[in-house]
C-alpha cells in the first residue's frame, strides 16, 4: 500500500459539488492499494500513519501526534499512486490493485483507522472527487508498506 500523508489545517473532499468529508487540523491521506496487498498491510499502514508525531510542540519541534492536537483524518482513495510513468507520456496503472481488491482494502483501512480511535472522514472509492486542503508547513510524507515493512517486492 502507498499513502501520501499531508499535515493540514483543513481538508475536504467533494463529489458532484457536495462535500462528503471535511476535517480541521489533522492528516489528509491519499491511499493507493497494490495487487499483492492484504489486511496486514492495511493495519500496519494505519498504525504507522496515525502514530506519526509531525505536529510541532512548544519548541517548534515535530514531536506531537494526532492525539495531542485533537487531530482528525480524511482518507481519499488514489489508485494513481501506482501509476507507472517510465514509458511514454501516458501513465500505466497496471501496478494498482484491481477495483474489487482496491475497494475492499480501502474500506478495511477506514475500519482500521476507526479501530485505532480516529474514525476518518472519507471520499467514495472510484468516484470523481475534488479534494481541497490547506497544507500545514507544508509537511508531506510518502509511506509505502513495501519499504516500511522491509519485505521484498512481490510480483
Amino acid at each position: 500500500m502507498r499513502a501520501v500523508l499531508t499535515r493540514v489545517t483543513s481538508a475536504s473532499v467533494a463529489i458532484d459539488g457536495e462535500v462528503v468529508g471535511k476535517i480541521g487540523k489533522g492528516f489528509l491521506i491519499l491511499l493507493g492499494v497494490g495487487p499483492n496487498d492484504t489486511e496486514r498491510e492495511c493495519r500496519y499502514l494505519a498504525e504507522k500513519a496515525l502514530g506519526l508525531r509531525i505536529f510541532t510542540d512548544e519548541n517548534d519541534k515535530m514531536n506531537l501526534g494526532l492525539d495531542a492536537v485533537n487531530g482528525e483524518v480524511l482518507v481519499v482513495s488514489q489508485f494513481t499512486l501506482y501509476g507507472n510513468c517510465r514509458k511514454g507520456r501516458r501513465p500505466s496503472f497496471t501496478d494498482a490493485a484491481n477495483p474489487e481488491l482496491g475497494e475492499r482494502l480501502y474500506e478495511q483501512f477506514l475500519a482500521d483507522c476507526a479501530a485505532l480511535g480516529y474514525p476518518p472522514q472519507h471520499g467514495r472509492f472510484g468516484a470523481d472527487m475534488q479534494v481541497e486542503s490547506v497544507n500545514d508547513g507544508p509537511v508531506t510524507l510518502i509511506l509505502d508498506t513495501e519499504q516500511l515493512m522491509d519485505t521484498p517486492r512481490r510480483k
Side-chain angles (χ1 to χ4, degrees), residues 43-146:
R43 183 63 179 208
Y44 180 88
L45 188 60
E47 289 174 353
K48 186 66 165 180
L50 300 179
L52 289 173
R53 298 184 321 174
I54 60 172
F55 294 95
T56 55
D57 65 15
E58 66 279 356
N59 298 315
D60 205 30
K61 301 285 184 198
M62 282 198 273
N63 199 30
L64 302 177
L66 279 171
D67 56 339
V69 299
N70 294 316
E72 301 173 285
V73 178
L74 173 62
V75 180
V76 177
S77 64
Q78 187 78 44
F79 79 94
T80 60
L81 292 178
Y82 278 90
N84 182 332
C85 298
R86 281 176 261 192
K87 295 181 182 176
R89 295 184 180 181
R90 200 173 114 207
S92 166
F93 299 105
T94 58
D95 292 342
N98 65 52
E100 294 78 24
L101 177 63
E103 183 171 17
R104 183 171 61 80
L105 293 183
Y106 170 72
E107 294 294 333
Q108 182 61 53
F109 184 82
L110 297 177
D112 287 341
C113 288
L116 291 167
Y118 297 96
Q121 294 287 304
H122 55 86
R124 187 171 67 233
F125 186 89
D128 181 16
M129 296 174 276
Q130 294 72 51
V131 180
E132 292 186 6
S133 66
V134 179
N135 298 355
D136 182 18
V139 174
T140 301
L141 301 167
I142 299 170
L143 306 173
D144 187 325
T145 56
E146 286 186 350

